[in-house]
Structure formats: C-alpha cells, structure tokens
Amino acid sequence: MSTAKSTALELQKQYENIFEFSPYAIFVHDLREITNVNNAFLRTYGYDSKDEIIGLHPIRTLVFPEDITLIQKARKAVKEGESFLIPNVRLLKKDGSHFTAECHVSVVGLGDKVHHQIHAIDVTEAVKSQQSLLESGKRYRTLFDNSLDGIYKSTPDGRFVDVNQAMVDMLGYSSIDELLAIDIKTQLYFKIEDRKIMAAHEEDQYPLKKKNGSLIWVEDHSYYEYDDEGNILFHHGVLRDVTGKLEKQKELEELLKLLEDQNERLQSFAHIISHNIRSHSANLSSLVHFMEENRTEVEKASLFEMLKTSTSKLEETIQNLNEIITVNRNLNQPREFRSLSKEVDNTLKILSGDIMEAGAEFSIKIPLEIEVHVIPAYLDSILLNLISNAIKYKSESRPCMIEISAHENENEIILDVSDNGIGIDLERNHDKLFRMYETFSNNTDSRGFGLYITKNQIESMDGQVKVKSQSDVGSTFSIHFNKPGAE
C-alpha cells in the first residue's frame, strides 16, 4: 500500500474514532434525511440501533416544531461556508419527549454531496440553572458569585454595573473594581460592530479583548431589561469561554479537509502513473517493432541503444513517482533547479521510437543557461505530455514539424511547444480544454488525462499554461515558470 494511501486511511480512521467515541451526540444529514449517527446519539435520543434512524428520518422529526426556524437559520448560515451555533433548541427523543440542546452545525464533504454535521449537547439543566439564576434573589447571588461562567450586568452606554469573579478571571483583570471601570465599547470589543451584533441577537458567539489585548471567544446567553416605556435599562448575561471548544472544532474541520485533500491527491497520482507509464510503454513497443523489422546491424545497434535509454528513463520516472509518494507526507514537495535544454533532450530520447515512427522533425531553440525551479517529476510529466501530444496529433497531409523554444524575462521563464498538427478549435473547446476525460480528436489512444494533469502540475508550481491553436494549422502551448522570489 502506498504511503499516501496509508496516510489517508489513517486520517479516515482517526475521524471515525472521533465521530464514534465523542461524548456528544452527532448526526449527519444530506438536507433530506439522516445519513449517519454516533453511539452518543443513540443514548441521548433513546434509539436502540442506527438502523432505526439512518435513511428513515428527515431532520424535522428530531426538532420541536416551534424551533424548526432555528434549524433553517443554521442551514442558511452554513450554506455560506460558516459554522453555526444554535445555543438553545428543543430536540425530540424517540419516545416523544424533548430536551434542550446547543447545536454546532457545520458543512462536511462526503462524496459528491453536501452534508451538514450537527453536534448536539444536552444543556437542559444548564438552561434551567441560568433561568433560575436570573430570576432568583438570594440563590441568584450565590450562583452569581460562585459560577464558573462569567456573569455580568451592563448599561446601554457601555458600562458594567455588576460582574462576578469568574468574569474578572476570564478577561484577565486583577479585580472586580478594575473591570467595572472599563469602557466596554472601546476596551472589550475589537470593533463597535460587535456591540451591534449583540443588540440583534440575544444569544450569540463573538470575540472579546482581554486586558492584555489577546482574543477570547465567548458564548453570550443574555437578555435585556426594559422599563415601562420599552427603553433598555440593563443588559444581563452569562459568558462562557468557548475558545478551546472552537479550536477543537477547527481541528476537526482541518482533519476533514486534510482527508479530502489526501483523497484528491491519491486520485491525481493514480492518473499521473497511468499516463506517464503508458507513454514509456508505447515508446518501448515502437522500438521493439522497429527491431523486429529487417534492418542492418548498425541500425539494430542504434535501436538497441535507444531501447536501453528508454528503459533507463522508465526506471527514472518510476523513481520520481516513488519520490512523490514519499514527499506527499508533507504538503510541500521539494523543488530543484533543472536545465531546461537537458530535460527536453532527455524527453526526446524517451520518445525516440514515437519520433521515428512519425517521421517528426524538431527545431530546438533553448539557451543552455536557462534553468527552471521545479518539482522534477512534474517537469518530466509536463514535457512528456506536451511533446508526445505534438507527435500524436500530427497532420496526415504534411510532414510533422515541432519547434521547442524558451526565453525569459525578469519574473518568469516561458517554454513554447509548437506544432503544425491537426490543431484544436478553441472557439468550441476552450472552456473544456483542460478538463479530465475531454478529448478533441478521433484518436482512439486519447484518454483525456494529459492536459488535465499538465495544467494541475504547472499550477501546483505557481505557473500557468496558455494555448494558441487553429484547426488544421497547429498549436502552441506556452508554459510560464515563475522564477524563485518573483510575485
């Protein structure tokens, strides 16, 4: 098993362990029905097995009817690429009873569908405690002073009139009096808009500035106290530090993203292997075919040397591909300086059999001093694809002529591969030119991988590819390699 595939499987296993052994109920749905739940979900909701819920229940059957608008609000937010917190929502158990939960909603990529993943934490008792806290006199004060969450009372103009010790500790102040003396608008919020956000949402999640200027994320369970005329008298609230929880959520999301990236890299790597090894195989077959024909000893000796060169280059390609597997453990692959003239010459040797069979003539105009800073295996693949395409798609009505040239400016090196082949109708095919599985000729050997792979490899090295082509006239592919340090 390749290292990259092993890494992806390990990440998948880690995610599944986090999912299954989380103490919080987690369920996943595809906007129509429940597609997966964990063991904590079964315990919390009172189901005996996953078979009772997966594929059988739309999400509305789990939500108290009067709270369904909260779920709709969450869906709208996550559609815009944001995670969303629903602090208090009533959820229905299997037996019809309900409990209050805080739900964290995020988007996960599973296959080609969009899924929402929801972490549901039972906060029934916490909500009851908070309500009692805000309504009770003596009991309120006792809980106020001893609560692990920060509790506050503030005025509309941005002054605290009461805070507890947990609030002082959370924000890094030395005493209650010191915190009471601050201006909330300028010393607690990073921007005044945060205050406006609070005015629009009774319970929300937002950043606060600690005394030392560092950031802390809090969850604010709050309400406004009004006078008889409807004017705001005070703002009461309970702050919970959720910085650590958000960091864990971010780690989980990054793990999922890394898993998706690894899967994409595995797919791309499989296509690279298929395409590049096939190019070598075709060339070796051509050389063997030529050797089987009646030829002079001198010609056979020359063909044998070509065969040795091709097998050597095949071994080098396999080694380069193996290096990609090794460095894929890290996201950044090492680059090296390579002589563009020598690399083109090596590619022509690899394709010598195809060149002889096509009767192709080459004009090489590459200054010897030009070097490109590239991933070697990617450069090999790019040159193989472009030059073999120029040969493969030659015109049947004229001799095959191919020109390979290079020049440089202050920021980049430009490699041009031009041919007089059958060309491409860019007006019809420009938008799908570099898509996978797209072909533009009747050649039965066309797979639609080459240009797709080439474009991805060039762009992964911060370069770009440009095309000029005309049907039955020919094509020019221009590869722009950025110089190190150039923007």
Side-chain angles (χ1 to χ4, degrees), residues 294-319:
N294 293 325
R295 293 183 178 273
T296 66
E297 292 301 319
V298 173
E299 289 176 330
K300 288 183 178 180
S302 176
L303 288 169
F304 182 71
E305 288 301 316
M306 292 181 185
L307 187 62
K308 286 171 60 178
T309 300
S310 291
T311 55
S312 175
K313 293 301 178 183
L314 173 58
E315 182 180 358
E316 182 180 334
T317 296
I318 293 173
Q319 178 60 35

Short mmCIF file of all heavy atoms in Angstrom, two decimals, residues 294-319:
data_model
loop_
_atom_site.label_atom_id
_atom_site.label_comp_id
_atom_site.label_asym_id
_atom_site.label_seq_id
_atom_site.Cartn_x
_atom_site.Cartn_y
_atom_site.Cartn_z
N ASN A 294 13.44 -6.15 -40.73
CA ASN A 294 14.75 -6.46 -41.31
C ASN A 294 15.56 -5.19 -41.42
O ASN A 294 15.26 -4.30 -42.23
CB ASN A 294 14.59 -7.10 -42.70
CG ASN A 294 13.93 -8.47 -42.59
OD1 ASN A 294 14.17 -9.18 -41.63
ND2 ASN A 294 13.13 -8.83 -43.58
N ARG A 295 16.55 -5.04 -40.60
CA ARG A 295 17.38 -3.85 -40.58
C ARG A 295 18.85 -4.25 -40.53
O ARG A 295 19.20 -5.38 -40.17
CB ARG A 295 17.03 -2.96 -39.38
CG ARG A 295 15.63 -2.35 -39.47
CD ARG A 295 15.34 -1.42 -38.32
NE ARG A 295 14.03 -0.81 -38.45
CZ ARG A 295 13.79 0.30 -39.12
NH1 ARG A 295 14.79 0.91 -39.74
NH2 ARG A 295 12.56 0.80 -39.21
N THR A 296 19.70 -3.29 -40.85
CA THR A 296 21.14 -3.56 -40.81
C THR A 296 21.59 -3.68 -39.37
O THR A 296 20.90 -3.24 -38.45
CB THR A 296 21.93 -2.44 -41.51
OG1 THR A 296 21.76 -1.24 -40.75
CG2 THR A 296 21.41 -2.20 -42.93
N GLU A 297 22.78 -4.27 -39.19
CA GLU A 297 23.32 -4.43 -37.85
C GLU A 297 23.55 -3.07 -37.19
O GLU A 297 23.38 -2.91 -35.98
CB GLU A 297 24.62 -5.24 -37.89
CG GLU A 297 24.43 -6.70 -38.29
CD GLU A 297 23.49 -7.42 -37.33
OE1 GLU A 297 23.59 -7.18 -36.10
OE2 GLU A 297 22.65 -8.19 -37.81
N VAL A 298 23.95 -2.11 -38.01
CA VAL A 298 24.20 -0.76 -37.48
C VAL A 298 22.90 -0.16 -36.96
O VAL A 298 22.85 0.44 -35.87
CB VAL A 298 24.82 0.16 -38.57
CG1 VAL A 298 24.91 1.59 -38.05
CG2 VAL A 298 26.19 -0.36 -38.97
N GLU A 299 21.82 -0.33 -37.76
CA GLU A 299 20.52 0.21 -37.35
C GLU A 299 20.03 -0.48 -36.08
O GLU A 299 19.49 0.15 -35.16
CB GLU A 299 19.50 0.04 -38.47
CG GLU A 299 19.72 0.96 -39.65
CD GLU A 299 18.75 0.70 -40.78
OE1 GLU A 299 18.31 -0.47 -40.92
OE2 GLU A 299 18.40 1.64 -41.50
N LYS A 300 20.22 -1.83 -36.05
CA LYS A 300 19.78 -2.56 -34.86
C LYS A 300 20.56 -2.14 -33.62
O LYS A 300 20.00 -2.04 -32.53
CB LYS A 300 19.93 -4.06 -35.09
CG LYS A 300 18.92 -4.64 -36.07
CD LYS A 300 19.08 -6.14 -36.20
CE LYS A 300 18.01 -6.72 -37.14
NZ LYS A 300 18.15 -8.19 -37.29
N ALA A 301 21.87 -1.89 -33.80
CA ALA A 301 22.68 -1.44 -32.68
C ALA A 301 22.19 -0.08 -32.17
O ALA A 301 22.12 0.16 -30.97
CB ALA A 301 24.16 -1.37 -33.08
N SER A 302 21.85 0.80 -33.13
CA SER A 302 21.35 2.12 -32.75
C SER A 302 20.01 2.01 -32.01
O SER A 302 19.78 2.67 -30.98
CB SER A 302 21.18 2.99 -33.99
OG SER A 302 20.61 4.24 -33.66
N LEU A 303 19.12 1.13 -32.53
CA LEU A 303 17.83 0.93 -31.88
C LEU A 303 17.99 0.32 -30.50
O LEU A 303 17.24 0.64 -29.56
CB LEU A 303 16.94 0.03 -32.75
CG LEU A 303 16.39 0.66 -34.04
CD1 LEU A 303 15.76 -0.41 -34.93
CD2 LEU A 303 15.36 1.73 -33.69
N PHE A 304 19.00 -0.58 -30.38
CA PHE A 304 19.23 -1.20 -29.07
C PHE A 304 19.67 -0.16 -28.05
O PHE A 304 19.26 -0.20 -26.88
CB PHE A 304 20.29 -2.30 -29.20
CG PHE A 304 20.55 -3.02 -27.91
CD1 PHE A 304 19.60 -3.89 -27.37
CD2 PHE A 304 21.73 -2.81 -27.21
CE1 PHE A 304 19.84 -4.54 -26.17
CE2 PHE A 304 21.97 -3.46 -26.01
CZ PHE A 304 21.02 -4.33 -25.49
N GLU A 305 20.49 0.80 -28.49
CA GLU A 305 20.91 1.87 -27.58
C GLU A 305 19.72 2.74 -27.17
O GLU A 305 19.60 3.17 -26.02
CB GLU A 305 21.99 2.73 -28.25
CG GLU A 305 23.35 2.06 -28.38
CD GLU A 305 23.90 1.65 -27.03
OE1 GLU A 305 23.81 2.45 -26.08
OE2 GLU A 305 24.43 0.51 -26.93
N MET A 306 18.82 2.99 -28.14
CA MET A 306 17.60 3.74 -27.82
C MET A 306 16.75 2.98 -26.81
O MET A 306 16.16 3.57 -25.89
CB MET A 306 16.77 4.00 -29.09
CG MET A 306 17.40 4.94 -30.07
SD MET A 306 16.33 5.19 -31.52
CE MET A 306 17.39 6.20 -32.55
N LEU A 307 16.69 1.65 -26.99
CA LEU A 307 15.90 0.81 -26.09
C LEU A 307 16.49 0.87 -24.68
O LEU A 307 15.75 0.98 -23.69
CB LEU A 307 15.88 -0.62 -26.60
CG LEU A 307 14.96 -1.61 -25.86
CD1 LEU A 307 13.51 -1.16 -25.96
CD2 LEU A 307 15.13 -3.01 -26.43
N LYS A 308 17.83 0.82 -24.58
CA LYS A 308 18.48 0.92 -23.28
C LYS A 308 18.19 2.27 -22.62
O LYS A 308 17.91 2.36 -21.42
CB LYS A 308 20.00 0.72 -23.44
CG LYS A 308 20.41 -0.71 -23.71
CD LYS A 308 21.88 -0.80 -24.07
CE LYS A 308 22.76 -0.29 -22.94
NZ LYS A 308 24.20 -0.42 -23.29
N THR A 309 18.24 3.34 -23.44
CA THR A 309 17.95 4.68 -22.90
C THR A 309 16.52 4.77 -22.40
O THR A 309 16.25 5.32 -21.33
CB THR A 309 18.19 5.75 -23.99
OG1 THR A 309 19.55 5.70 -24.41
CG2 THR A 309 17.87 7.14 -23.45
N SER A 310 15.58 4.21 -23.18
CA SER A 310 14.17 4.27 -22.81
C SER A 310 13.89 3.51 -21.51
O SER A 310 13.14 3.97 -20.66
CB SER A 310 13.29 3.72 -23.93
OG SER A 310 13.32 4.59 -25.04
N THR A 311 14.50 2.32 -21.39
CA THR A 311 14.28 1.55 -20.15
C THR A 311 14.89 2.27 -18.96
O THR A 311 14.35 2.25 -17.85
CB THR A 311 14.88 0.14 -20.28
OG1 THR A 311 16.27 0.24 -20.64
CG2 THR A 311 14.13 -0.67 -21.31
N SER A 312 16.05 2.94 -19.20
CA SER A 312 16.67 3.71 -18.12
C SER A 312 15.78 4.86 -17.70
O SER A 312 15.62 5.14 -16.51
CB SER A 312 18.03 4.24 -18.59
OG SER A 312 18.59 5.09 -17.61
N LYS A 313 15.19 5.54 -18.69
CA LYS A 313 14.31 6.67 -18.38
C LYS A 313 13.02 6.19 -17.70
O LYS A 313 12.46 6.90 -16.86
CB LYS A 313 13.98 7.45 -19.65
CG LYS A 313 15.18 8.17 -20.25
CD LYS A 313 15.78 9.16 -19.26
CE LYS A 313 17.01 9.86 -19.81
NZ LYS A 313 17.61 10.78 -18.81
N LEU A 314 12.56 5.00 -18.08
CA LEU A 314 11.39 4.43 -17.40
C LEU A 314 11.69 4.20 -15.92
O LEU A 314 10.88 4.53 -15.05
CB LEU A 314 10.98 3.12 -18.07
CG LEU A 314 9.86 2.32 -17.38
CD1 LEU A 314 8.59 3.15 -17.25
CD2 LEU A 314 9.59 1.02 -18.14
N GLU A 315 12.89 3.66 -15.65
CA GLU A 315 13.29 3.44 -14.27
C GLU A 315 13.37 4.76 -13.51
O GLU A 315 12.95 4.87 -12.36
CB GLU A 315 14.65 2.73 -14.24
CG GLU A 315 15.12 2.42 -12.82
CD GLU A 315 16.46 1.72 -12.82
OE1 GLU A 315 17.01 1.45 -13.91
OE2 GLU A 315 16.98 1.45 -11.73
N GLU A 316 13.89 5.80 -14.19
CA GLU A 316 14.00 7.12 -13.56
C GLU A 316 12.61 7.70 -13.27
O GLU A 316 12.38 8.30 -12.21
CB GLU A 316 14.78 8.07 -14.48
CG GLU A 316 14.98 9.46 -13.88
CD GLU A 316 15.76 10.36 -14.83
OE1 GLU A 316 16.55 9.83 -15.65
OE2 GLU A 316 15.59 11.58 -14.74
N THR A 317 11.68 7.52 -14.20
CA THR A 317 10.31 8.00 -13.99
C THR A 317 9.67 7.32 -12.80
O THR A 317 9.02 7.96 -11.96
CB THR A 317 9.46 7.76 -15.25
OG1 THR A 317 9.98 8.53 -16.32
CG2 THR A 317 8.00 8.16 -15.00
N ILE A 318 9.85 6.00 -12.70
CA ILE A 318 9.29 5.26 -11.56
C ILE A 318 9.89 5.75 -10.26
O ILE A 318 9.20 5.92 -9.25
CB ILE A 318 9.53 3.74 -11.74
CG1 ILE A 318 8.71 3.22 -12.94
CG2 ILE A 318 9.17 2.98 -10.47
CD1 ILE A 318 9.02 1.79 -13.30
N GLN A 319 11.21 6.04 -10.28
CA GLN A 319 11.86 6.56 -9.08
C GLN A 319 11.30 7.92 -8.70
O GLN A 319 11.04 8.22 -7.53
CB GLN A 319 13.37 6.66 -9.32
CG GLN A 319 14.15 7.25 -8.14
CD GLN A 319 14.00 6.42 -6.89
OE1 GLN A 319 13.91 5.19 -6.95
NE2 GLN A 319 13.98 7.07 -5.73
#
